[in-house]
């Protein structure tokens, strides 16, 4: 499959490499508003570089699209690709505005083209194995889910101002994972948070430390904690507790070497950041997209999943502002 990659930034570069090296795909073109960035990434993998998205999408050789641009461009690019009847992969979120998301998904549905959304953690082998164990009933009836997600260092305040805030930008992955694991929709959310890491984030109107409690109709609880700074690395852990026992997915270390000395027993710290932690997940996303585009599979992460995670993020922000639990719109 010949794929046009829209966006030559950090995540676009990951997808470009995976598309190039996959036996079932070819990087046909790279589009970016930065002509030099598009040209550099395209030349690295023998593709065409361009700043003209309309011309690239009109190219009859293009058979699929990866959208890795800034969030505020996603809806426009999804709609352009759907009008060309091209299978679409889009990084999260679809948009920060729920009304725009609804309009976009309605148009995509009418077009009939598949849309796969980039909640990459669903494709992580450790978390997929955990979820499969949950579905097999190994933990019994789920009573408590705990999700920890902590970045190694905070983003600059300039990024925070346009990111949509910690709930829509960072925790949205964890909110999606909560839905992925709970097997029932949350009906209530309580959020609290502080600015403990970088005063500049507070001045930008956001928090850098957050906790959320989700409750399902049955009463199962999910606790999520986020921090923009973990000095020991990228911290990603999940625990599922139920009537038959407990399941855990810990931080996989870069190596399994353990050093035993007179003074201490030492292991590797966690990976530094998401690009190091989730390479298998990004490759599995591409595998899945190619299967979906070929009509051999249905999307495992749909536009509906993206919408549902945004609804939870918006409700978390409302709860934070009100200082109390709020119902989740169904």
């Amino acid at each position: 499959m010949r794929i046009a990659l829209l966006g030559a930034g950090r995540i676009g570069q990951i997808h470009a490499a995976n598309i190039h090296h996959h036996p079932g795909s070819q990087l046909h073109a790279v589009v970016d508003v930065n002509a030099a960035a598009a040209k550099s990434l395209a030349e690295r993998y023998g593709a065409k570089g361009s700043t003209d998205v309309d011309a690239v999408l009109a190219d009859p050789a293009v058979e699929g699209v990866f959208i890795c641009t800034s969030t505020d461009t996603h809806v426009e690019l999804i709609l352009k690709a759907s009008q060309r009847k091209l299978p679409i992969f889009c990084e999260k979120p679809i948009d920060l505005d729920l009304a725009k998301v609804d309009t976009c998904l309605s148009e995509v549905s009418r077009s009939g083209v598949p849309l796969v959304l980039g909640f990459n953690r669903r494709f992580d082998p450790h978390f997929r194995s955990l979820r499969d164990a949950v579905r097999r009933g190994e933990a019994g009836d789920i009573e408590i889910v705990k999700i920890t997600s902590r970045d190694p260092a905070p983003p600059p305040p300039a990024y925070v101002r346009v990111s949509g805030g910690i709930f829509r930008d960072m925790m949205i992955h964890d909110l999606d994972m909560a839905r992925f694991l709970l097997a029932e929709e949350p009906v209530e959310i309580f959020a609290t948070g502080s600015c403990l890491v970088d005063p500049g984030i507070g001045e930008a109107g956001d928090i850098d430390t957050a906790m959320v409690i989700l409750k399902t109709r049955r009463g199962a609880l999910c606790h999520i904690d986020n921090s923009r700074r973990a000095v020991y690395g990228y911290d990603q852990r999940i625990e599922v507790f139920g009537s038959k026992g407990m399941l855990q997915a810990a931080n996989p270390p870069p190596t399994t070497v353990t050093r035993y000395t007179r003074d201490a027993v030492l292991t590797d710290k966690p990976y530094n950041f998401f690009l190091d932690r989730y390479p298998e997940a990004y490759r599995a996303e591409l595998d899945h997209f190619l299967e979906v585009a070929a009509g051999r599979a249905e999307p495992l992460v749909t536009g509906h999943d993206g919408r549902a995670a945004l609804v939870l993020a918006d409700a978390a922000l409302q709860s934070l502002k009100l200082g109390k639990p709020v119902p989740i719109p169904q």
Side-chain angles (χ1 to χ4, degrees):
M1 167 177 272
R2 292 181 294 272
I3 295 175
L5 176 74
L6 312 184
R10 182 170 59 179
I11 194 62
Q13 294 177 39
I14 295 296
H15 289 305
N18 290 338
I19 292 166
H20 173 74
H21 292 295
H22 196 289
S25 60
Q26 174 189 340
L27 186 62
H28 182 75
V30 177
V31 181
D32 198 279
V33 293
N34 184 323
K39 182 175 183 290
S40 175
L41 185 57
E43 288 181 348
R44 192 183 310 169
Y45 300 114
K48 304 174 184 177
S50 177
T51 59
D52 190 340
V53 67
D54 293 319
V56 168
L57 294 183
D59 184 346
V62 173
E63 299 173 299
V65 176
F66 264 58
I67 299 173
C68 309
T69 52
S70 59
T71 296
D72 60 339
T73 66
H74 286 181
V75 167
E76 177 186 2
L77 295 175
I78 289 172
L79 294 179
K80 286 184 175 184
S82 68
Q83 289 163 7
R84 298 292 303 174
K85 302 297 183 183
L86 296 170
I88 304 162
F89 174 91
C90 183
E91 281 294 340
K92 67 82 188 171
I94 296 172
D95 197 85
L96 300 177
D97 183 274
L98 194 59
K100 290 183 179 179
V101 171
D102 288 338
T103 299
C104 177
L105 294 181
S106 178
E107 291 296 321
V108 170
S109 179
R110 275 195 286 270
S111 76
V113 302
L115 169 63
V116 177
L117 203 63
F119 280 120
N120 64 298
R121 296 180 194 176
R122 290 195 182 206
F123 295 91
D124 174 70
H126 308 283
F127 293 160
R128 283 205 68 83
S129 180
L130 176 69
R131 196 251 194 177
D132 291 345
V134 169
R135 289 293 181 269
R136 289 192 298 268
E138 293 183 18
D141 294 330
I142 302 307
E143 297 166 357
I144 298 172
V145 174
K146 292 184 178 180
I147 301 174
T148 291
S149 182
R150 300 168 187 161
D151 285 352
Y159 171 83
V160 170
R161 290 188 184 93
V162 299
S163 70
I166 195 169
F167 297 120
R168 296 189 187 106
D169 174 56
M170 181 178 176
M171 191 181 285
I172 196 166
H173 277 289
D174 308 303
L175 295 168
D176 176 70
M177 185 56 63
R179 295 184 60 248
F180 190 54
L181 293 171
L182 284 168
E184 55 179 327
E185 295 294 336
V187 297
E188 183 183 271
I189 189 168
F190 173 68
T192 187
S194 304
C195 192
L196 303 173
V197 176
D198 183 353
I201 290 177
E203 293 167 5
D206 198 17
I207 56 175
D208 53 35
T209 307
M211 286 189 177
V212 155
I213 300 290
L214 298 163
K215 180 185 284 189
T216 69
R217 193 173 305 279
R218 186 175 60 85
L221 300 174
C222 176
H223 171 272
I224 300 171
D225 78 81
N226 280 183
S227 175
R228 291 287 195 180
R229 182 216 55 222
V231 296
Y232 48 85
Y234 189 49
D235 192 358
Q236 302 279 289
R237 290 173 284 132
I238 298 177
E239 177 181 295
V240 178
F241 175 83
S243 58
K244 292 183 180 179
M246 181 172 67
L247 302 164
Q248 289 182 328
N251 286 311
T255 76
T256 59
V257 176
T258 303
R259 298 159 181 84
Y260 296 82
T261 71
R262 183 186 303 274
D263 299 318
V265 177
L266 303 173
T267 60
D268 288 354
K269 295 194 299 182
Y271 283 100
N272 183 59
F273 209 16
F274 69 94
L275 298 178
D276 307 308
R277 167 64 178 82
Y278 290 116
E280 297 97 338
Y282 290 118
R283 290 193 289 268
E285 274 186 332
L286 175 59
D287 290 338
H288 178 62
F289 174 76
L290 294 174
E291 289 293 299
V292 170
R296 294 189 292 266
E298 292 296 318
L300 292 176
V301 192
T302 66
H304 168 73
D305 293 313
R307 183 191 190 279
L310 181 61
V311 167
L312 292 176
D314 286 350
L317 182 59
Q318 181 188 19
S319 173
L320 178 71
K321 291 177 177 178
L322 295 176
K324 65 180 182 180
V326 299
I328 297 166
Q330 300 296 312

